[in-house]
Amino acid sequence: MKHSELTFQAIVEATPNAIILVNKEGRIAYANHQTEKLFGFNRIELISKKVEMLIPGRYHEHHPSFRSQFFAAPETRAMGSGRELFAMRKDKSEFPVEIGLNPLVTVEGTMVLVSIIDITARKKAEEQFRLVVESAPNAMILANKNGVITLINAQTEKLFGYQRKELIGKKLEILIPKNFSENHPHLRESFFKTPSVRAMGVGRELYAIRKDGTQFRVEIGLNPIETDEETVVLASIIDITERKKHEVMLALELKNKELEQFNYIASHDLQEPLRTVSNYIQILEEDFSGLLNNEAKSHLQTISRATLRMRMLVRTLLEFSRLGQNKKMVSLDCNKIVKDVVADLNSLINATQTTILIEELPIIQGSEIEIMQLFLNLINNAIKFRKKDTSPEIRIACNKNSNGHFEFYVTDNGTGIDSKYFNRIFQIFQQLDAGQQIEGYGIGLANCKKIVEMHGGKIWVESELGKGSTFKFTIETV
Amino acid sequence: MSMKVHCIMLVDDNKDDNFFHKRVITKNEAADVVVIKESGEEALEYLRKNQEDSLHPHPDLIFLDINMPKMNGWEFIEEYKKLDKEFQSKMVVVMLTTSENPDDRIFAKKEDIIADFRTKPLTKEMLDEILTQFYSL
């Protein structure tokens, strides 16, 4: 043996990998000690045998042509990039491998030095990692530096509505709404510059997009993972739509409660000084009448009137704030409710010669006192805002709208309402016709609005000045 | 014709109301004496002391406010219940308050001690009704 051959052998024997030398015909010219250990063959059993003895049978057919290709253009490279490679031991058991190919020019012609690494342990670790990701309760996505998705779990399929095969190999940006995805590659780059475990987009609201184009709020955790080849990122994604909704609801509920409490306390405490004013006016009138001239008495009466009106306003506010505070939803026959309301208004109806036509009404889920008050207010208004010389005609009916909810309407032949007031009439203390001195304190329709909204519905008016009005409201069908 | 009792007690922290209510009582000659206490504690102290020595006019009728600082009307009732039962039976307690809170009204109905629940201000008509209801034997 030449000196150089000895040196070569010494090096090859010392490496921790299995190394074999294969000639153009695919025969093994040399195998090191590691190869014996890895494959369970004795060196003598290998030398000058076809290399296919180390390869599972199913690859035998194509292997010779791959070999020819290598020798046609010999270069140092990994074997079968992108494919999973398996080797076979003497006992026919298989194991996953990674193989490096190096052309080697010898006196016997060009050969290939094959370096074989057993990657069973790595594959097992990868499989365990895959299983952990798969069983995670969150959507998890593994992506590389270029943003290409390499792994997803079942939760990801469920959350985004994609099949696994539709996402693997695609860019991450497919899952990000357009207005965010443009900047995403840049953000990804900066993550990979200093990879660390952190939440994505701190301080920003993050959205994701499903296959069907719908967007939803998410929270995303990022974990860099070092693999043999590169750093990748594992993103854990949580749909926080429900949580956000819940948070908003809670905040709203709290605000409403605070507001009602404030309203109640304010209106309650306002009553006291007002009553005191009334009381002391009474004392002046009763005990000091002789000391006051007619002008002073007239001023006292004005104070008294204003105080009374203020008390009415405060009381109305109080009633508004208490509306629905103890509501109990029960099954209500609207035919009976309206009949009762009409009976209550009997004297007003007779005095004004009002005719009321009631069509078949449904049974709804509602709070009895509030629904009664709703109809009472609407019928009362229809009579109150009648034309001077026309007796009121009111029609009450109900349809089902396109959403399947009940749509009630109360139509009158009264004065009608200018369209610029359509919204204002439902606000508290907005009396349009103050000049006409019609009693009431501008709260009826505000109450109606609150009641309808309590029942998950909407109220609005359709009207034309001089041509009567139709008040419509919806009630959710349960 | 108006009825009359010996003593009426007003328990209310509002001095203006006390003045006005006392005036209505005296003007209508509904009581010989009006005792005014501006807190539940003071009223209780008066009653407890009187239970022992009977030195002061004994209230036949108590008008009790609900919303008062420190001991409110409801807390007063709890303490009042601890007084001697026979002593209690010589008095009628009527809630007289600004409260239009239906909860208070419902609460008052459940409370045996409270004979009636009225909204301020006290009027001649109210006095007549209450006295007729509880003192015409």
Side-chain angles (χ1 to χ4, degrees):
Chain A
M1 251 189 247
K2 286 180 195 160
H3 178 68
S4 62
E5 270 178 61
L6 277 173
T7 311
F8 166 77
Q9 269 192 21
I11 292 169
V12 168
E13 284 302 324
T15 64
N17 299 344
I19 286 179
I20 55 176
L21 195 61
V22 177
N23 67 16
K24 263 187 188 160
E25 287 73 43
R27 291 191 187 277
I28 299 168
Y30 178 79
N32 71 350
H33 179 61
Q34 280 299 323
T35 310
E36 290 184 303
K37 254 172 82 180
L38 186 59
F39 287 88
F41 282 108
N42 211 308
R43 223 176 290 201
I44 305 160
E45 296 174 273
L46 293 171
I47 302 298
S48 79
K49 297 279 169 48
K50 283 273 194 183
V51 73
E52 275 78 14
M53 72 186 292
L54 302 177
I55 302 170
R58 60 183 183 279
Y59 301 115
H60 287 189
E61 197 189 334
H62 295 293
H63 193 254
S65 69
F66 287 138
R67 190 170 54 241
S68 311
Q69 276 169 30
F70 177 82
F71 281 108
E75 54 165 349
T76 299
R77 63 169 171 87
M79 184 169 158
S81 72
R83 282 183 299 132
E84 304 218 316
L85 301 178
F86 290 90
M88 191 176 69
R89 296 189 190 88
K90 186 178 181 182
D91 64 7
K92 305 286 182 203
S93 61
E94 293 181 20
F95 58 100
V97 288
E98 212 169 75
I99 298 174
L101 301 174
N102 296 276
L104 199 67
V105 182
T106 70
V107 283
E108 291 147 59
T110 303
M111 298 217 226
V112 56
L113 189 67
V114 184
S115 165
I116 304 155
I117 305 171
D118 179 358
I119 57 167
T120 306
R122 192 209 300 169
K123 281 282 164 197
K124 207 177 256 170
E126 273 178 26
E127 178 60 14
Q128 271 168 359
F129 174 76
R130 201 189 59 76
L131 279 174
V132 168
V133 168
E134 189 62 25
S135 62
N138 304 339
M140 293 190 119
I141 298 175
L142 196 67
N144 65 18
K145 254 180 199 165
N146 301 321
V148 174
I149 298 168
T150 56
L151 177 74
I152 68 159
N153 64 357
Q155 285 300 323
T156 307
E157 292 184 289
K158 227 162 133 188
L159 185 59
F160 287 90
Y162 283 104
Q163 301 251 304
R164 212 169 285 244
K165 58 176 188 257
E166 294 176 284
L167 289 178
I168 302 293
K170 293 278 163 50
K171 286 261 188 178
L172 273 174
E173 281 74 22
I174 190 175
L175 304 175
I176 305 170
K178 261 243 156 56
N179 44 335
F180 298 100
S181 63
E182 278 172 18
N183 198 32
H184 191 256
H186 169 72
L187 293 170
R188 191 175 60 240
E189 245 170 61
S190 65
F191 174 82
F192 278 109
K193 255 177 215 156
T194 51
S196 65
V197 176
R198 63 172 173 85
M200 183 168 155
V202 177
R204 283 184 299 134
E205 291 190 354
L206 300 179
Y207 288 85
I209 187 165
R210 292 189 190 87
K211 189 182 182 182
D212 64 14
T214 52
Q215 299 188 10
F216 56 102
R217 282 287 301 274
V218 288
E219 217 167 72
I220 300 177
L222 300 175
N223 293 275
I225 293 176
E226 300 277 349
T227 70
D228 287 353
E229 299 103 34
E230 55 177 350
T231 304
V232 293
V233 60
L234 182 68
S236 164
I237 301 143
I238 306 172
D239 180 354
I240 56 168
T241 312
E242 285 306 309
R243 194 215 297 170
K244 284 287 152 198
K245 234 189 245 168
H246 193 63
E247 279 173 19
V248 169
M249 284 291 288
L250 278 183
L252 256 177
E253 245 167 57
L254 197 69
K255 269 270 157 316
N256 266 338
K257 258 213 181 99
E258 274 173 12
L259 209 65
E260 298 208 329
Q261 196 61 25
F262 169 79
N263 204 346
Y264 180 73
I265 290 169
S267 40
H268 177 268
D269 289 357
L270 288 172
Q271 290 279 30
E272 286 225 3
L274 283 172
R275 195 191 55 247
T276 306
V277 173
S278 294
N279 290 347
Y280 281 73
I281 291 168
Q282 193 189 325
I283 294 179
L284 285 178
E285 281 171 345
E286 285 179 19
D287 295 3
F288 302 91
S289 185
L291 298 174
L292 299 171
N293 64 19
N294 283 342
E295 197 182 350
K297 278 181 197 162
S298 151
H299 291 334
L300 269 185
Q301 271 170 15
T302 307
I303 297 172
S304 186
R305 259 206 318 277
T307 313
L308 187 69
R309 176 162 162 77
M310 182 76 178
R311 284 180 71 179
M312 288 305 297
L313 288 172
V314 170
R315 181 171 300 163
T316 319
L317 200 60
L318 196 62
E319 272 165 28
F320 182 73
S321 75
R322 290 197 61 83
L323 211 57
Q325 260 185 18
N326 298 308
K327 67 169 175 179
K328 232 178 40 206
M329 297 302 242
V330 291
S331 199
L332 299 173
D333 182 351
C334 291
N335 298 296
K336 187 185 175 306
I337 298 247
V338 172
K339 208 183 270 175
D340 288 350
V341 168
V342 168
D344 281 351
L345 291 169
N346 196 31
S347 58
L348 178 68
I349 289 167
N350 287 338
T352 51
Q353 292 182 304
T354 301
T355 47
I356 301 184
L357 179 73
I358 305 162
E359 292 184 8
E360 181 70 21
L361 299 176
I363 290 168
I364 62 167
Q365 286 292 311
S367 173
E368 187 170 11
I369 293 170
E370 273 79 13
I371 293 292
M372 278 191 83
Q373 207 184 330
L374 174 62
F375 280 110
L376 182 75
N377 279 328
L378 290 178
I379 297 171
N380 209 15
N381 273 351
I383 300 174
K384 201 198 273 183
F385 298 102
R386 62 185 177 271
K387 280 184 193 155
K388 255 186 192 148
D389 36 16
T390 316
S391 29
E393 281 169 26
I394 301 168
R395 192 163 145 259
I396 301 165
C398 180
N399 299 320
K400 271 207 171 175
N401 69 9
S402 52
N403 297 327
H405 297 316
F406 293 122
E407 187 173 306
F408 288 82
Y409 54 96
V410 178
T411 302
D412 64 53
N413 61 344
T415 56
I417 299 161
D418 193 319
S419 64
K420 67 180 167 194
Y421 298 123
F422 282 2
N423 285 322
R424 245 180 67 184
I425 51 172
F426 293 104
Q427 291 164 13
I428 196 164
F429 295 138
Q430 290 287 347
Q431 189 112 35
L432 299 179
D433 220 351
Q436 279 192 19
Q437 294 295 320
I438 294 167
E439 78 259 36
Y441 292 88
I443 195 156
L445 287 173
N447 277 354
C448 289
K449 184 164 185 269
K450 194 171 172 186
I451 292 166
V452 168
E453 284 171 359
M454 242 167 64
H455 289 80
K458 270 189 194 163
I459 187 167
W460 67 99
V461 65
E462 292 167 6
S463 178
E464 210 177 305
L465 207 54
K467 291 189 178 166
S469 308
T470 299
F471 282 86
K472 295 189 174 180
F473 63 91
T474 57
I475 298 280
E476 268 184 349
T477 41
V478 185
Chain B
M1 157 191 140
S2 293
M3 309 240 340
K4 191 174 194 177
V5 293
H6 176 57
C7 174
I8 294 177
M9 180 189 249
L10 302 174
V11 186
D12 194 337
D13 60 312
N14 187 327
K15 288 189 171 104
D16 298 332
D17 283 353
N18 285 337
F19 175 82
F20 185 79
H21 292 154
K22 182 180 178 181
R23 177 183 163 278
V24 171
I25 293 165
T26 45
K27 209 173 167 174
N28 291 292
E29 296 179 344
D32 301 320
V33 190
V34 178
V35 175
I36 293 176
K37 294 293 162 197
E38 287 177 13
S39 73
E41 290 96 327
E42 275 179 52
L44 269 175
E45 199 184 322
Y46 180 94
L47 292 176
R48 283 192 191 122
K49 222 168 164 204
N50 227 26
Q51 190 176 346
E52 284 164 19
D53 57 23
S54 308
L55 288 175
H56 299 283
H58 179 73
D60 303 286
L61 177 60
I62 299 175
F63 284 112
L64 177 66
D65 186 27
I66 294 178
N67 301 307
M68 291 182 284
K70 284 193 276 182
M71 185 184 281
N72 69 23
W74 299 116
E75 288 156 353
F76 173 86
I77 290 292
E78 285 311 306
E79 290 302 311
Y80 179 88
K81 281 183 193 164
K82 294 175 189 165
L83 297 172
D84 181 66
K85 290 274 179 273
E86 208 196 310
F87 183 72
Q88 278 185 40
S89 72
K90 291 177 188 159
M91 297 175 279
V92 169
V93 181
V94 172
M95 282 263 173
L96 179 64
T97 170
T98 329
S99 176
E100 291 182 32
N101 186 340
D103 293 345
D104 279 339
R105 201 171 276 269
I106 290 162
F107 213 40
K109 269 194 187 150
K110 286 188 196 146
E111 198 62 74
D112 291 339
I113 307 281
I114 299 164
D116 207 348
F117 188 101
R118 298 286 182 153
T119 304
K120 288 179 185 178
L122 182 66
T123 61
K124 178 185 179 333
E125 291 72 27
M126 228 186 258
L127 261 178
D128 283 347
E129 269 175 42
I130 291 165
L131 292 179
T132 314
Q133 189 180 348
F134 298 106
Y135 293 95
S136 54
L137 290 171

